[in-house]
Amino acid sequence: MKVVVTEFMDEEILRTGLPGVRLVYDPDMVDKPDALVAETADADALIVRNRTQVKGALLDAAGGLRCVGRLGVGLDNIDMAACKAREIAVYPATGANDISVAEYVIASALLLTRGAFGASAELAQGRWPRQALMNGGEIFGKRFGLVGFGAIARQVARRAAALGMTVATHDPFIAKDDAAWAQDFGRVEPLSLDALLASSDIVSLHVPLTDATRGLINERALSLMKPSAILINTARGGVADEHALSRALVEGRIGGAALDVFEAEPFPQGYASRFVGVPNLLLTPHIAGLTAEANRRVSEITVENVRRHLLSA
Ligand SMILES: O=C(O)[C@H](O)COP(=O)(O)O
């Protein structure tokens, strides 16, 4: 049996978990389209992160593919309908990076609300900008608005509530009488998207990228937000319009933003210019779900999913 791994994972967990299997582990294969197609042609299983496009030509070439292990939860890089038609099972690493993302979101909310953590260079040059930084805010008592209320959003909600915030969410896929609104840490208020945007101090996105969510946070949505509000996107780049967001920050129409995901990753030539000079903006390279602990967990869960499928099929 042959398993091809096209992006990075915990190699020791991979090798220990799939003994006796022909393993091709090349964390850079995602950037070698010819090798990718050639290696996948006789593979029984494929293990990918979010960059390998499991679609079209790759699936056409992969005649013997029985399952795909996804080292994360976003499935926008996988043609799910085509996999289903070919009876290829797809296994996301559900739950494995929830805590990692939730901690990133809370850290960003605290950093951006307080606004006191960007002065290290000034202090190192001998300056003392205490007066300029005295208007930072507290998140206690503020409203945390979650767009989407799946597993990661619930971990965020739990932490926000523990810090004294009220939590509201917009999720049209959860019925009004669903038990999910009554969490053990308290009640979460279901709101329309517009009401959530207009009333939240922090807005965090937790929806997959689909036709329905592409461009959800556009010029109009941003115009509904409070001038002091903070937007956090750890979901997918296409959900928030980066140009509209940059303009809103430059013009002071929202208070701050953290972006961990982008329409194009890694940035193509010239892409980053849209962020130059934009104030109160934290940028990170799709790292929210990636801690040492989460990398081990996604690797363990994925290897186990693939192992079980190959043994059973
Ligand atoms: O979809 C996810 O779980 C996150 O975006 C992380 O994706 P990754 O597997 O590429 O790290």
Side-chain angles (χ1 to χ4, degrees):
M1 260 180 305
K2 180 180 177 187
V3 176
V4 177
V5 187
T6 66
E7 298 181 63
F8 66 89
M9 66 179 293
D10 188 307
E11 189 172 358
E12 198 187 324
I13 291 171
L14 171 68
R15 296 203 182 278
T16 320
L18 290 170
V21 165
R22 203 175 125 218
L23 281 174
V24 178
Y25 175 58
D26 180 355
D28 299 322
M29 196 184 291
V30 58
D31 294 314
K32 302 173 192 162
D34 293 344
L36 186 59
V37 170
E39 287 293 0
T40 310
D42 60 345
D44 296 280
L46 195 57
I47 295 181
V48 302
R49 297 198 89 99
N50 78 76
R51 294 189 54 225
T52 308
Q53 300 301 305
V54 186
K55 315 180 163 171
L58 186 62
L59 284 175
D60 289 343
L65 196 61
R66 287 147 63 189
C67 71
V68 178
R70 170 71 179 90
L71 297 152
V73 292
L75 297 174
D76 45 301
N77 58 319
I78 301 177
D79 184 339
M80 295 297 286
C83 285
K84 193 169 177 210
R86 291 166 160 85
E87 295 184 357
I88 299 168
V90 177
Y91 293 103
T94 308
N97 59 21
D98 293 2
I99 293 170
S100 171
V101 179
E103 290 187 359
Y104 173 101
V105 170
I106 294 295
S108 306
L110 285 163
L111 275 169
L112 286 163
T113 302
R114 190 64 183 261
F117 298 95
S120 304
E122 274 190 81
L123 265 78
Q125 284 165 2
R127 290 202 282 276
W128 194 250
R130 189 175 187 222
Q131 212 74 6
L133 298 175
M134 61 177 264
N135 287 324
E138 298 168 356
I139 64 171
F140 181 88
K142 304 258 169 67
R143 169 174 276 185
F144 204 113
L146 294 156
V147 180
F149 197 47
I152 294 175
R154 291 175 201 194
Q155 290 289 348
V156 175
R158 167 178 306 282
R159 286 160 177 76
L163 289 166
M165 302 188 77
T166 58
V167 182
T169 183
H170 168 72
D171 192 325
F173 294 101
I174 302 178
K176 285 266 183 291
D177 57 354
D178 197 292
W181 303 118
Q183 294 284 316
D184 57 5
F185 54 81
R187 186 164 165 74
V188 172
E189 193 182 354
L191 292 177
S192 70
L193 180 61
D194 286 5
L196 183 97
L197 292 170
S199 64
S200 296
D201 299 289
I202 313 283
V203 174
S204 187
L205 308 180
H206 297 282
V207 290
L209 180 63
T210 64
D211 289 343
T213 62
R214 190 176 293 281
L216 191 69
I217 305 301
N218 55 16
E219 197 80 54
R220 192 196 80 88
L222 290 163
S223 75
L224 298 174
M225 291 173 65
K226 297 183 185 184
S228 57
I230 283 157
L231 178 74
I232 302 172
N233 189 6
T234 56
R236 279 297 179 266
V239 179
D241 178 334
E242 292 160 10
H243 288 291
L245 176 64
S246 294
R247 279 195 298 275
L249 287 164
V250 168
E251 292 164 16
R253 286 183 278 115
I254 69 165
L259 296 180
D260 184 55
V261 287
F262 304 88
E263 273 182 83
E265 299 177 12
F267 294 163
Q269 189 73 27
Y271 187 93
S273 63
R274 68 192 64 187
F275 302 123
V276 173
V278 177
N280 302 324
L281 177 62
L282 288 177
L283 300 173
T284 50
H286 202 146
I287 207 80
L290 198 53
T291 52
E293 292 89 343
N295 191 39
R296 279 196 294 276
R297 282 194 299 266
V298 294
S299 298
E300 277 162 7
I301 289 175
T302 304
V303 162
E304 179 52 19
N305 285 339
V306 167
R307 194 190 64 80
R308 211 179 323 106
H309 188 89
L310 293 182
L311 284 182
S312 70

